[in-house]
Every structure is written in C-alpha cells, then in structure tokens.
Amino acid sequence: MRTPKLKQVAPPPAFSEIAPVPLTEATMKQRLEKVLRQMRQTEFEALIFYADKEHGSNFEYLTGFFPRFEEALLVLHADGTAHYIMGNENLKMVKHARLKGELHHYPLFSLPNQPMDGPVDLTKILQACGITSQLKKLGLVGWKMFTAPQQTKNESALPMLDLPYFIVAAVQQAAATAGLSNGIHLLIGDGGARRCNTPNEIAHYEYGAQLASKGMYAALSRLEVGVSERQLGALLNQEGQLNNVVTIAATGQRFENANFYPTDKQVRIGDPVSLTVSYKGGLSSRTGFAVENVTQLPKAQVDYLEKMVYPYFTAVSAWLESAKIGITGGQLYQQVETVYPKAVYGWHLNPGHLTADEEWLASPVYEESTEKLQSGMLMQLDLIPSVAGYQGTSTEECLLLADEQLQSQLQKEYPHLWQRIQQRRNYLINELGIAIHVDLLPLSDLVAYLPPFLLAHDQVVVWQAQ
C-alpha cells in the first residue's frame, strides 16, 4: 500500500554539458530507404513534401533542413530521384542538403516584394520534376492525417489535403488524371517511417529533451517572489536552440490581451504559475502555485494537493508503470482512464503522444486504439487536467520505448547517454518511488518531478509506503 505525499527530496540528476549529436549519413540513408519502402508497399510512384516554418518536419526528415520563412517542395520518386522547388533565400541550401536532388527555382515561394525573376508557372516546374499524367498514384505530404471519423469517411473526388490551394491546383494541372492522395500516413501513421527511431536518432533527440528539462529546472530553481516572466523565460530558453513551441513563463492571470509571451509581470505570493519549454526531442512543462506551503494557497483551493496534485501524480505513475512495448494505445488510454477518469479531471487530449522534430508527431494513444506501442518510439508523457475553480498541474516530459536489443545498442554506441538514462531511472525508482517499466527509458532529467508549491524548491510529490 502506498500514498502520494509532498516531501523534501534530493535534486534530480542534472547533466550540464551535453553536446548536440548530429544525424549520420547512415541514418539519413536509412530514413530515405524507409520512405521508399513505404512508397513501394503502397504503390505510390511519387510524393510531394510541403514545407514552411511551422510544417517543415517531414521535409526535414529527408533533407536535413526546412525553409524557415519561405515555402518549399520536395518531389521524391519511388526510384529515389529527388527534386527541390525553392524560393529565393533557400536556393543556397540545396547544395548542403542531406538528400541530393535537382534544384528548381520558384520565386513565388519567396517573401512579399522580393525579386520575382525566374519561372513563375508552378505547373511547368512540377512537370519538369516528373509530375505528369503518366503517374498512376501520387501523394501530397503536408502534416495532417484528418483522423476525425467524418473526414476519414469522406468520399469526395478530392482527398482531404492541407497544402495551400495554389500548390494543389498546380499539382492537379501537372498530373491531370493521376490518382492523387494524402500521403502523410506513410510518414506518421500507424507503421509510418518516422514513428520509430534508431540509436543515432535517439541520441540526436535526447539532446533536445534533456535541454528542455535543463531549462525547466533552472527556471524552477530561480522562481521566487519578484522574479519576472521575462527572467524565467530567459532561463527556460537554452543554448540558442530553436524552440518548437512557444515558450511559456506566465504568472497570475494568463492570456491577458491575448498574449502568449513572457512580460515584465512579476511573481507574487499565491500566483498560479505556468512554465513550458520545448525543443526537437521533447517538451518540459510545469504548473503550480507560487507558494511555500498550504497556508499560502487561495482560500478556495486549500485542498489543491488532494483535489488536483495527488490524483495527477497517481495517473502519471500508472502511465509510467504500464506503458510498455506490445500493448495497444487503447490499453494505455484505459489504464489512465481507470485511475484518472476524464469525466472527473477534465482532460480531453491524448494521454501521451509521439514526439520528434515537432513536439506532437502523432499519437497511438486514444480510446479503443489498436495501434501497438513499439520499440524506438519517443513518447511524450502528456496529461492535462482541467477542473473548474482549480489551478492545473503538470509534469510533461519525454521517454523512449526500447526493447533489449535497442537498449543493448544504446549502451554500446552511446555509453554516456546510457549512463544518464540509468541515473534518471534510479531517481524515479529510489527517490520518487515509481516502478517505471523496464521498457521505458527517461530522455529528460525531470520525468515525474512534480513540485506543486513552486517556492518550496526541494519539495516534490513522492510515493510513501504505508
């Protein structure tokens, strides 16, 4: 028998000097081979990958870069032939791309009022890239699978697509009668190329997952009365790396004047506080009160621990002790629902999802899901309660599912990474009392580290034996 309790504990393991791990040529070759194999199995003769600043990860998966503030297309044929259609400021990137291909300039992908010298007929450019009526099956790759039941049953002539209209129209004109489909499921759907990761990819993404937890711990340690949101935000953002979500450092009432970003507002006693930071590989998030003890809580929430925090910690522990290779996402969903009913605690998103270059890749965890959890999946522990009249709570972090073979590879190829994982697991087991499943490997330092009273820096929720 055990019960959750707020307790003073030792600091979590911290690793301050982890260098970024580049993706190897072998990894990039394997990525291409995975996508081409998916194309052969599904009889796609060509895929067209769309990219912009917010939706460039599928493009980057093969090329090693995304077009920042422009748009771009990658045309990939089933024989491996590749073509790049680029705006003005990304023409230079093609010579550095990890996937070699022919460059085509399309100035209309450039920013407003830049020089538009060059071909402006996208249809002709696409035809020069081999997108013609001779193709029998062609896929457009954006970023959405349109999984709502009313959309998956759509029987209209044109499939659901999330690319800009002018691109889709040009593709239709270039390919004429070619069968046109949404091809995103080849990348992120069940069995998709991007769902499982190699040791090199795991090491690459662990850098970002750990960096997020490093920034989070720095902000938590500095959080005190009088510190500003901007000061906390500066601690959350680390090492000049690109965030893949908006960094949150919010005290008091959030979203005033529709604002997302840290301001000069200062932390006051009793304030609700929300902190979030994310990089490629994982997100770290915490929510709580700027108090030292129960007596400083708002009067209407003096039962915050019993009402919100302890049930949430119970659900997080159940997730960590249940998630394993081979179970379905539906089974994991039901495990969370059993100990933490949605109807009571108000969570409505998936209790866990996949992560990669983007914070939310896709999720096998949903009600009645038959998708199985697999070795190599990067899982984001994500559970967001919402109970009227109460501040939320959170301890969102990144983990890896790994079988014996993958664990052995990591231990051999990345011994320092393996040592960090073991220290994190030991902390979870010995300090927090969570019997994390043997298949789960923490890739960030703060998994299940839950400090509800943010001015009591060394107090977190743990399991206490009865």
Side-chain angles (χ1 to χ4, degrees):
M1 183 69 179
R2 61 182 187 175
T3 57
K5 180 182 179 180
L6 191 61
K7 181 182 176 182
Q8 183 176 357
V9 298
F15 308 97
S16 58
E17 297 299 330
I18 299 179
V21 177
L23 297 172
T24 65
E25 287 302 315
T27 291
M28 299 307 295
K29 182 179 179 181
Q30 186 174 25
R31 286 181 167 189
L32 175 61
E33 290 173 346
K34 287 168 69 174
V35 174
L36 294 177
R37 182 166 59 249
Q38 290 277 6
M39 293 175 69
R40 290 192 296 269
Q41 291 173 349
T42 52
E43 299 182 340
F44 277 94
E45 295 172 284
L47 294 177
I48 300 175
F49 293 75
Y50 171 78
D52 61 20
K53 180 180 178 181
E54 297 298 327
H55 313 116
S57 295
N58 293 302
F59 181 101
E60 185 175 6
Y61 181 73
L62 295 175
T63 69
F65 75 99
F66 69 97
R68 302 173 295 166
F69 39 78
E70 293 186 334
E71 295 162 305
L73 295 177
L74 168 67
V75 178
L76 179 66
H77 291 271
D79 63 0
T81 302
H83 298 261
Y84 291 89
I85 304 176
M86 312 299 291
N88 293 341
E89 296 195 59
N90 281 281
L91 295 173
K92 61 183 178 291
M93 288 303 300
V94 174
K95 65 182 179 183
H96 302 291
R98 306 298 295 274
L99 173 64
K100 301 307 176 184
E102 184 178 343
L103 173 61
H104 304 261
H105 183 202
Y106 182 56
L108 295 183
F109 279 165
S110 308
L111 295 174
N113 291 123
Q114 284 195 357
M116 293 296 163
D117 303 323
V120 293
D121 189 333
L122 184 56
T123 298
K124 291 182 178 179
I125 295 174
L126 287 164
Q127 288 173 335
C129 295
I131 303 303
T132 70
S133 60
Q134 295 180 355
L135 297 175
K136 294 180 180 179
K137 190 173 182 181
L138 169 64
L140 296 186
V141 179
W143 65 294
K144 287 189 176 182
M145 291 189 288
F146 300 104
T147 51
Q150 65 269 28
Q151 303 297 354
T152 56
K153 295 179 181 179
N154 188 339
E155 297 180 356
S156 64
L158 186 65
M160 294 286 290
L161 300 168
D162 57 344
L163 280 68
Y165 172 78
F166 78 99
I167 295 176
V168 175
V171 171
Q172 287 182 292
Q173 293 174 18
T177 59
L180 185 61
S181 300
N182 187 331
I184 185 59
H185 60 281
L186 274 66
L187 281 294
I188 68 172
D190 191 11
R194 296 187 60 201
R195 285 206 163 198
C196 295
N197 295 273
T198 66
N200 177 236
E201 289 172 314
I202 292 162
H204 175 74
Y205 289 125
E206 189 250 2
Y207 168 73
Q210 190 276 337
L211 195 64
S213 63
K214 176 184 174 182
M216 180 58 65
Y217 191 71
L220 290 172
S221 300
R222 178 69 176 83
L223 202 148
E224 58 188 24
V225 173
V227 70
S228 72
E229 293 177 341
R230 287 197 302 130
Q231 289 172 307
L232 294 172
L235 292 167
L236 290 169
N237 287 334
Q238 294 275 320
E239 299 185 11
Q241 300 299 314
L242 176 69
N243 300 116
N244 58 11
V245 303
V246 172
T247 296
I248 297 171
T251 187
Q253 183 177 345
R254 288 183 64 185
F255 309 131
E256 290 181 311
N257 298 317
N259 175 62
F260 281 126
Y261 314 112
T263 70
D264 281 334
K265 190 190 302 182
Q266 296 181 347
V267 173
R268 301 173 301 175
I269 285 285
D271 272 356
V273 176
S274 295
L275 304 171
T276 297
V277 65
S278 184
Y279 304 97
K280 293 182 178 185
L283 175 146
S284 184
S285 181
R286 294 298 182 277
T287 304
F289 279 104
V291 300
E292 295 176 333
N293 52 57
V294 173
T295 64
Q296 295 173 332
L297 288 170
K299 292 182 179 180
Q301 298 187 58
V302 292
D303 59 346
Y304 176 63
L305 290 177
E306 294 76 17
K307 182 76 172 183
M308 296 295 295
V309 177
Y310 291 159
Y312 177 83
F313 184 76
T314 300
V316 166
S317 298
W319 195 102
L320 291 169
E321 295 172 352
S322 301
K324 62 182 179 180
I325 295 166
I327 70 167
T328 66
Q331 289 172 316
L332 182 56
Y333 180 100
Q334 189 56 48
Q335 181 63 38
V336 173
E337 170 66 22
T338 298
V339 301
Y340 199 63
K342 179 190 295 188
V344 176
Y345 295 102
W347 53 272
H348 66 282
L349 300 180
N350 310 57
H353 58 84
L354 303 179
T355 190
D357 285 353
E358 57 273 76
E359 192 271 333
W360 187 300
L361 178 73
S363 180
V365 187
Y366 52 90
E367 192 170 11
E368 298 183 355
S369 167
T370 60
E371 299 180 29
K372 290 185 177 181
L373 303 190
Q374 297 175 283
S375 180
M377 285 183 167
L378 295 179
M379 297 290 296
Q380 192 75 20
L381 200 174
D382 188 359
L383 193 57
I384 306 173
S386 178
V387 177
Y390 283 85
Q391 167 73 344
T393 184
S394 68
T395 175
E396 186 173 349
E397 298 289 337
C398 179
L399 302 105
L400 166 70
L401 281 165
D403 59 18
E404 289 185 8
Q405 180 181 354
L406 181 53
Q407 292 190 28
S408 178
Q409 289 177 292
L410 288 171
Q411 186 174 6
K412 179 180 179 181
E413 298 175 27
Y414 296 96
H416 296 298
L417 164 59
W418 182 253
Q419 291 172 9
R420 291 192 292 271
I421 287 171
Q422 295 311 306
Q423 290 184 53
R424 295 168 185 147
R425 281 184 57 85
N426 289 338
Y427 187 83
L428 279 162
I429 294 167
N430 298 322
E431 292 291 338
L432 305 185
I434 298 174
I436 182 173
H437 195 278
V438 68
D439 290 348
L440 273 182
L441 308 182
L443 293 191
S444 58
D445 299 343
L446 300 182
V447 173
Y449 185 84
L450 182 58
F453 298 161
L454 299 175
L455 300 184
H457 293 151
D458 58 353
Q459 293 187 28
V460 301
V461 183
V462 304
W463 283 112
Q464 178 172 280
Q466 289 279 302

